[in-house]
Amino acid sequence: LLASVTFLCFAGSRSPGACTALAAMEALITALFLLLYLLRLDQRLGWLFWPLADIFNSVIAALFLLIVCLFAIIIKTNNGTLAGGVFGLVLLVLCVVDAVLLFQKISLDGPRGRNTPAK
């Protein structure tokens, strides 16, 4: 939701293309991961360790958001660009929190299945 708000701020203010494209890409990728987990496709496509892919996405998005949103705040062509930059920095913090929480939750050497006890 925050990525969509960031995208709308950048798009509405006619910010540079990198700002708008990054916010749109992050909103789309986040929506695809949400859809993947809601439809339980991560269990059907077991050949990829999806939580690690989600961590990778969060870290890469945080790096790009740091650069683009700081740039948007520095140039501050109008209030929409400034608002998009601020929302993007909040999104950056959420991406870092997501990556840290997922990294703490996964175990790379344990079994890859549900957490139900074996009978």
Side-chain angles (χ1 to χ4, degrees):
L1 185 62
L2 192 59
S4 299
V5 170
T6 305
F7 168 70
L8 290 175
C9 287
F10 282 142
S13 67
R14 307 236 188 262
S15 296
C19 299
T20 308
L22 178 68
M25 183 181 69
E26 185 56 32
L28 179 69
I29 290 172
T30 303
L32 289 176
F33 269 109
L34 181 64
L35 187 65
L36 175 94
Y37 290 130
L38 283 177
L39 296 176
R40 300 205 185 268
L41 293 175
D42 58 330
Q43 294 173 356
R44 291 185 184 177
L45 303 171
W47 50 270
L48 184 63
F49 191 46
W50 290 103
L52 195 60
D54 200 359
I55 290 172
F56 182 71
N57 171 52
S58 295
V59 169
I60 296 298
L63 290 174
F64 282 132
L65 283 167
L66 177 67
I67 295 167
V68 168
C69 291
L70 284 179
F71 177 71
I73 289 173
I74 290 171
I75 63 167
K76 190 174 80 168
T77 55
N78 54 30
N79 289 337
T81 305
L82 180 64
V86 170
F87 283 128
L89 288 178
V90 173
L91 181 61
L92 168 115
V93 171
L94 289 178
C95 284
V96 170
V97 168
D98 179 46
V100 168
L101 290 177
L102 275 172
F103 188 73
Q104 290 176 350
K105 192 174 184 178
I106 65 173
S107 64
L108 297 177
D109 58 350
R112 290 178 45 195
R114 293 197 165 263
N115 292 334
T116 57
K119 292 183 180 182

